[in-house]
Amino acid sequence: MAPETHALLSASSAHRWLNCTPSALLEAGKPDRDSTASLEGTAAHALAEWKLAEMLGRGPGARPQSTYDTVEMDEHTSAYVTHVNQLLDDHEGPSRVFIEQRLDYSKYAPDGYGTGDCVIISDGLLDIVDFKYGQGVLVEAEQNPQLKLYALGALEAFQDIYRVDQVRATIFQPRRDNTVRVEYSRSELVEWGEQTVKPAAALAAKGKGEFKAGPWCQFCKLAPTCRARAEENLKLARLEFKPGPELSDEEVAQVLRQLPDLTKWAAEVEKYATQAAVSQGKQWEGMKLVAGRSVRKYADENQVIQAARDAGYKDTDIFEQKLITLTRMEKLVGKKQFTQIFDGLVVKPEGKPTLVPMSDRRKALDLAAPEQEFENLDK
Ligand code: SF4
């Protein structure tokens, strides 16, 4: 969805303020970070919006252009429009499609509103579609509060025109091959709005309630310096291990389960502190800024080429021709063409075994224990 810069209790940050109510007010005082990914996302949304308006025959004007335009973006935005069209087919009778629609859910959260990428409504059925162009984090539709708040806003806005019983909320995240949908009844959503959103939003609007660290901290502007998050992460250091020279299997497993959060948090703190030291001259007690490791490089490539030729080396000695990477090739020709042109020419070797939490979506490897392999050979 397009960035929501004005609502304190925005739908896109709802996962945070519903779980950690004081976060919303504290975040409001911090500047936004315009990363390349967010600028690219904004460009993709503008193009998707334009294509959808064109598909609906709304004469959207000139096609938006940006420095982020690629074949890949063109294909993904077209796929989004195709998907919306498929959803539209499920609506019987007169239906309406709203693009980049402001959805007001202030009945549940003070001054709460957001912008839904696409809303389709007809008698009986409401579709909320959120286009995610990012690829870093896989977005789930299941119990996604952003989608649920949009749905509450749409139910509220159109209640006098359409009688809706069924709500479908879709995440369309093409760069992760992730199109997921979840269904709710109207009463289920309203109950969630009344019982979960209202009390949390009342606290969040006043900056009250308990700080609570969890997965929602990921994009919090306070994340590197938040005390609650630091305390949560540092619980690992306070683990009480049993006596004995070695950790038990359960203790190792306990460390493993906490490592991803701990290392991520440590990296964020380090990045924040380094940026402050470099850009604001901040001094951190016991630390100093030094030049990192660096690698040698040619001062001037043209002069190096000339010097090598003068020394009697042929161009075949000093130049090498390399195939561009698979990712660059896919960007160059587009996903659809890539599949056609290189059919059967791309392989995916098995990844290095990695330990991940049970909640990870990937299928567990079925590796036979070495003793078992020997047993099998004996048979
Ligand atoms: S980083 Fe801190 S303030 Fe932000 S959501 Fe996490 S616990 Fe709350």
Side-chain angles (χ1 to χ4, degrees), residues 16 20 23 26 211-214 216-217 220 222-223 226 228-229:
R16 269 197 303 288
C20 173
S23 66
L26 287 169
F211 284 95
K212 189 174 163 202
W216 45 86
C217 296
C220 181
L222 270 79
C226 174
R229 188 164 180 243

Side-chain angles (χ1 to χ4, degrees), residues 171 199 270 310:
I171 291 289
E270 189 178 24
D310 292 347

Side-chain angles (χ1 to χ4, degrees), residues 270 273-279 281-293:
E270 189 178 24
T274 307
Q275 268 173 1
V278 172
S279 58
K282 172 94 185 159
Q283 300 282 334
W284 301 102
E285 202 186 324
M287 303 296 287
K288 64 181 176 183
L289 212 51
V290 295
R293 277 175 54 127

Side-chain angles (χ1 to χ4, degrees), residues 173-243:
Q173 190 181 18
R175 292 166 101 191
R176 292 292 300 262
D177 275 332
N178 180 39
T179 304
V180 277
R181 195 163 73 190
V182 65
E183 294 193 13
Y184 301 102
S185 66
R186 179 193 183 97
S187 54
E188 224 177 317
L189 282 171
V190 171
E191 190 183 324
W192 174 75
E194 292 289 343
Q195 295 184 4
T196 304
V197 180
K198 266 191 180 173
L203 289 173
K206 293 185 190 132
K208 298 218 164 118
E210 301 277 317
F211 284 95
K212 189 174 163 202
W216 45 86
C217 296
Q218 186 169 16
F219 296 114
C220 181
K221 291 179 194 167
L222 270 79
T225 52
C226 174
R227 188 175 302 277
R229 188 164 180 243
E231 279 169 1
E232 185 68 28
N233 279 298
L234 287 172
K235 272 185 194 162
L236 176 64
R238 294 203 292 268
L239 276 180
E240 299 236 336
F241 295 120
K242 293 188 198 107

